[in-house]
Amino acid sequence: MIQVVGIGPGRREGRTIAADDALRRAEVIVGYTTYVELVRDEFAEKRFVTTGMRGEKERCVQALLLSREGRRVALICSGDAQVYGMASLLLGMAEEGDEIEVVPGVTAALSAAAVLGSPLCGDFAVVSLSDRLTPWETIEKRLLAAASADFSIAIYNPVSHGRPEHLKRACEVLLRVLPESRLCGIVRNIGRPGESRRILTLGALRDAQADMFCTVFIANSAAKELFVNLVTPR
């Protein structure tokens, strides 16, 4: 049995009850090293199997092999396992007879939006700037489509060591159809030590500092900054 578990931002308070239950019942927890470290102390009696950042397929293989040996496995990722997570990859690698359950979690768009206030009260889109699996041309089309339709946009994977200019490039794409004054937000280390938030304009976002621990928001045209909150009216 494999349960694919999104652990939310990382701390226990940010996990769903179902995710917490899956971790407690698992014999083996498999995951990316950074995410495993978020739960290791809490579940110190468990067996852990970890891989590096680009070891997604290896993690799925390990989880499948352990499950076929009769172990109860939790394959973990941050946020929700379906949203840029491990669920799709594992299900695509599974064979008939493999018992797999996808356990819902709290994706970064929701947990980060709560830190800013309520920027997603209405229709919104989620776009990843990682071009490892999606061509940049496709990402650009999706950004333009979402902005042209006046969606609020949550941006995942805004920057990495290998693509330090992607957020700036995305802002330049968005500025083709949006004003520089459009409200935006950045949340870093959601629900973890060092959590920070910032509300700024799209023009300022173009040159803002960000990293892979950040989730970025582009508000829609109705959004307002109310006191210290970024709010999309109902």
Side-chain angles (χ1 to χ4, degrees):
M1 171 67 171
I2 306 174
Q3 290 182 292
V4 198
V5 184
I7 62 171
R11 62 178 180 172
R12 183 175 185 181
E13 294 85 350
R15 292 200 297 265
T16 64
I17 294 173
D20 197 58
D21 185 58
L23 293 177
R24 285 190 289 104
R25 291 192 293 158
E27 297 174 71
V28 187
I29 296 175
V30 180
Y32 169 44
T33 304
T34 298
Y35 301 145
V36 165
E37 291 307 312
L38 295 174
V39 301
R40 187 187 291 275
D41 289 346
E42 190 177 347
F43 300 98
E45 78 283 1
K46 307 289 186 183
R47 176 183 171 188
F48 294 94
V49 176
T50 63
T51 70
M53 177 168 290
R54 298 196 177 184
E56 292 92 347
K57 288 186 177 180
E58 183 183 348
R59 292 198 287 278
C60 289
V61 168
Q62 291 295 321
L64 288 165
L65 289 174
L66 287 162
S67 176
R68 291 165 187 168
E69 291 174 1
R71 305 289 186 183
R72 188 178 186 95
V73 180
L75 176 61
I76 68 170
C77 51
S78 66
D80 178 272
Q82 297 181 79
V83 184
Y84 309 116
M86 298 294 294
S88 178
L89 181 60
L90 180 69
L91 290 168
M93 294 174 64
E95 299 176 357
E96 186 175 359
D98 288 323
E99 188 179 0
I100 296 171
E101 177 187 359
V102 180
V103 179
V106 181
T107 189
L110 303 181
S111 53
V115 175
L116 287 170
S118 185
L120 300 183
C121 186
D123 298 329
F124 66 92
V126 178
V127 180
S128 170
L129 299 190
S130 173
D131 56 0
R132 281 185 55 210
L133 301 175
T134 304
W136 178 258
E137 293 77 13
T138 300
I139 295 170
E140 185 172 312
K141 288 178 183 177
R142 291 171 179 171
L143 288 169
L144 284 171
S148 298
D150 201 25
F151 281 101
S152 300
I153 306 171
I155 293 180
Y156 286 44
N157 305 311
V159 176
S160 73
H161 292 300
R163 39 185 184 78
E165 298 297 316
H166 272 31
L167 180 58
K168 183 174 184 177
R169 290 176 67 187
C171 289
E172 289 170 350
V173 169
L174 293 168
L175 284 165
R176 297 179 199 170
V177 293
L178 300 180
E180 288 197 355
S181 59
R182 178 58 56 89
L183 289 171
C184 299
I186 303 174
V187 181
R188 187 175 189 274
N189 283 342
I190 312 160
R192 303 177 193 172
E195 178 183 276
S196 63
R197 67 194 291 276
R198 182 182 176 191
I199 298 173
L200 67 172
T201 65
L202 180 56
L205 180 64
R206 177 175 47 194
D207 298 310
Q209 296 295 313
D211 58 25
M212 286 293 288
F213 298 103
C214 294
T215 304
V216 175
F217 294 85
I218 315 298
N220 70 14
S221 60
K224 301 175 182 180
E225 187 174 0
L226 299 178
F227 303 107
V228 296
N229 294 314
L230 180 59
V231 179
T232 300
R234 291 188 64 183

